[in-house]
C-alpha cells in the first residue's frame, strides 16, 4: 500500500486533487473497506449522498418483481458475504417468474464437492439447458 | 448421505409453464404437456453433495484461495465497444469464447491469460455466422472478469466438447484489464452495457436463443437489467448465482462481524483500490476537466 501511495503522490494525479472537489485521493487511498471505497469513489462518481443511498438504489431486490422471463436464483444459506437476511424470500412467493434455490451450505460461489468439482456449475448448465425436457 | 446438503425451493404457488418436448425430440414419453418453472427447477437441479471437510460457508468461499484448484482452460477473443449511452459514454470489453487457437498464440501481456484481441477480419467472420446455437451472456462478480475461475468452470461444459453453446462475457468497465476513458467505472445498477450487447447479439444472430448468467454483483446487475426490460426482454431465461439482492442489508450485516469487516469487506476494498490505483488518473483528470 505504501508504495502505491508514493507512486500516486509522485504522479501528477495528486495535483488534480486540489482542482477536483469530488474525489478525495487521500481518502480513497486511506480507505480499507469496500464501503469506504464506495463512499469516496462511487458516491462522488454517480452523485449519491452516502454509500447507503447507493446500495439502496442499486439493489436488485425489487427489480426481481418486474422480471418477465424465467429465472433461477441460486443461493447458499451460509454465504458469508450475502447474508440470508439480504435474500428477499417473500418476493419469490409473489412472482411466477423467479424461483429461488437455496442450499444449506456452499458459501459464496463455492459449493465444492469432493474431488474439487463445483455443484453450481451443474445446476447452471441444467437450468439453462432445461435438461432436454423442454 | 455424508456431505449431503438440503435444497429448498422458494416460489409462488403458480410459476410460469413451459411446453415439454414431445417424444419425437428425445423427451421422456411419460412427460408430455406442460411443466411449471418450479417443477422444472426441481427436476433439473442436481442433488447437492458437498465436501464434508468444508463444514461452513467461510471454507467453501475461501477454498480456491486455500488450495490450488483445477485450471480450467477457456480461450477468449476480446472486442472493445464504445458505449452508445449518451449519459454515461465510455468503453467496455466483451470477451467471446473461442476454440483453443491453433497454432497457440503468444501471451498478450496487456490482457488476461488466454485472451487476445479480435482482428477486424476475425470479428467480421464471427458476425457473419448464421447459426442457431444457443448463446450465453455472462456477467462476473465485483472487480472480476472473464478470467475468473468460478466463471470458466461453469462455462466449459457448455462451450467445449459436445457443449454446443456460444458464449461471451461482458467485463464491467475498468475490470479485466480493460481501459477506462471516462470518469466512472461500473456500478451495481449499471445496466447500459449489457443492454447494448444484448441488442447487438439479437441483431447479429437472429436465430440464436440468448440466455444469461450473472455471478454475485454481476447477478445484481443482471437482475436489475431483466427487471428494467420487463415484457420486452430479449433473453430467454437466466440464472442468478449468489445475487446480493439487498446491498445495504448485506453490507450492514457484514459490518457487524469481525470476519465480515476485517476479511470480506477489507478484501473487497483492496480489490477496488487496485482498480483505483490503475485508473485513478482517468477518474480524476477527466472529472476536473469537466468541472
Amino acid at each position: 500500500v505504501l508504495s502505491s501511495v508514493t507512486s500516486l503522490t509522485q504522479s501528477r494525479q495528486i495535483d488534480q486533487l486540489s482542482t477536483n472537489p469530488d474525489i478525495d485521493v487521500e481518502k480513497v487511498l486511506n480507505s480499507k473497506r469496500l464501503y469506504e471505497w464506495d463512499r469516496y469513489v462511487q458516491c462522488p462518481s454517480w452523485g449519491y449522498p452516502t454509500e447507503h443511498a447507493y446500495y439502496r438504489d442499486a439493489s436488485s431486490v425489487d427489480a426481481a418483481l418486474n422480471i418477465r422471463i424465467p429465472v433461477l436464483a441460486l443461493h447458499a444459506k451460509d454465504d458469508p458475504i450475502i447474508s440470508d437476511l439480504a435474500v428477499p424470500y417473500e418476493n419469490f412467493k409473489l412472482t411466477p417468474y423467479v424461483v429461488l434455490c437455496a442450499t444449506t451450505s456452499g458459501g459464496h460461489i463455492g459449493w465444492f464437492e469432493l474431488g474439487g468439482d463445483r455443484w453450481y456449475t451443474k445446476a447452471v448448465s441444467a437450468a439453462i439447458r432445461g435438461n432436454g425436457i423442454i | 448421505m455424508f456431505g449431503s446438503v438440503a435444497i429448498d425451493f422458494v416460489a409462488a404457488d403458480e410459476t410460469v409453464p413451459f411446453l415439454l418436448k414431445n417424444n419425437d425430440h428425445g423427451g421422456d414419453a411419460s412427460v408430455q404437456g406442460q411443466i411449471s418453472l418450479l417443477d422444472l427447477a426441481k427436476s433439473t437441479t442436481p442433488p447437492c453433495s458437498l465436501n464434508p471437510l468444508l463444514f461452513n460457508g467461510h471454507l467453501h468461499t475461501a477454498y480456491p484461495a486455500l488450495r490450488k484448484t483445477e485450471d480450467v482452460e477457456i480461450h477468449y477473443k476480446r472486442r472493445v465497444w464504445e458505449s452508445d449511452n449518451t449519459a454515461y459514454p465510455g468503453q467496455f470489453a466483451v470477451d467471446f469464447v473461442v476454440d483453443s487457437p491453433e497454432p497457440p498464440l503468444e501471451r498478450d501481456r496487456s490482457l488476461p491469460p488466454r485472451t487476445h484481441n479480435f482482428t477486424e477480419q476475425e470479428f467480421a467472420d464471427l458476425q457473419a455466422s448464421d447459426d442457431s446455437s444457443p448463446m450465453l451472456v455472462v456477467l462476473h462478480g465485483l472487480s472480476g472478469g472473464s478470467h475468473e475461475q468460478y466463471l470458466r468452470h461453469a462455462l466449459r461444459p457448455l462451450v467445449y466438447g459436445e457443449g454446443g453453446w456460444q458464449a461471451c462475457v461482458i467485463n464491467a468497465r475498468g475490470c479485466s484489464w480493460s481501459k477506462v476513458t471516462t470518469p466512472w467505472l461500473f456500478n451495481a445498477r449499471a445496466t447500459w452495457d449489457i443492454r447494448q450487447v444484448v441488442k447487438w447479439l439479437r441483431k447479429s444472430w437472429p436465430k440464436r436463443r440468448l440466455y444469461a448468467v450473472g455471478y454475485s454483483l454481476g447477478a445484481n446487475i443482471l437482475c436489475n437489467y431483466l427487471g428494467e426490460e420487463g415484457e420486452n426482454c430479449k433473453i430467454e431465461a437466466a440464472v442468478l448465482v449468489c445475487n446480493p439482492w439487498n446491498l445495504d442489508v448485506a453490507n450492514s450485516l457484514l459490518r457487524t462481524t469481525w470476519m465480515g469487516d476485517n476479511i470480506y469487506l477489507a478484501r473487497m476494498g483492496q480489490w477496488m483500490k487496485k482498480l483505483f490505483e490503475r485508473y485513478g488518473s482517468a477518474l480524476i483528470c477527466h472529472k476536473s476537466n469537466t468541472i
Side-chain angles (χ1 to χ4, degrees), chain A residues 3 57 62 68 81 118 121 123 127:
Chain A
S3 64
D57 187 49
D62 295 315
R68 293 294 178 268
I81 297 174
R118 298 165 95 161
T121 64

Side-chain angles (χ1 to χ4, degrees), chain B residues 6 66 73 85 87 114 119 123 147-148 246 276 283:
Chain B
L66 299 173
E73 205 174 309
N85 189 299
R114 301 186 185 117
T119 63
F123 192 68
H147 55 284
E148 295 288 345
N246 194 326
F276 185 81
L283 302 186

Side-chain angles (χ1 to χ4, degrees), chain B residues 32-94:
Chain B
Q32 285 195 338
Q34 291 190 341
I35 187 168
S36 73
L37 174 61
L38 177 59
D39 288 339
L40 181 70
K42 284 181 178 173
S43 65
T44 59
T45 302
C48 186
S49 182
L50 304 181
N51 185 338
L53 294 176
L54 305 175
F55 53 82
N56 66 33
H58 298 293
L59 292 170
H60 275 287
T61 305
Y63 190 69
L66 299 173
R67 192 168 174 276
K68 194 172 168 12
T69 50
E70 184 199 4
D71 184 30
V72 180
E73 205 174 309
I74 297 276
H75 294 268
Y76 297 108
K77 290 269 181 171
R78 172 168 294 190
R79 180 75 174 180
V80 175
W81 299 58
E82 284 299 327
S83 172
D84 62 8
N85 189 299
T86 51
Y88 302 109
Q91 53 175 235
F92 59 98
V94 183

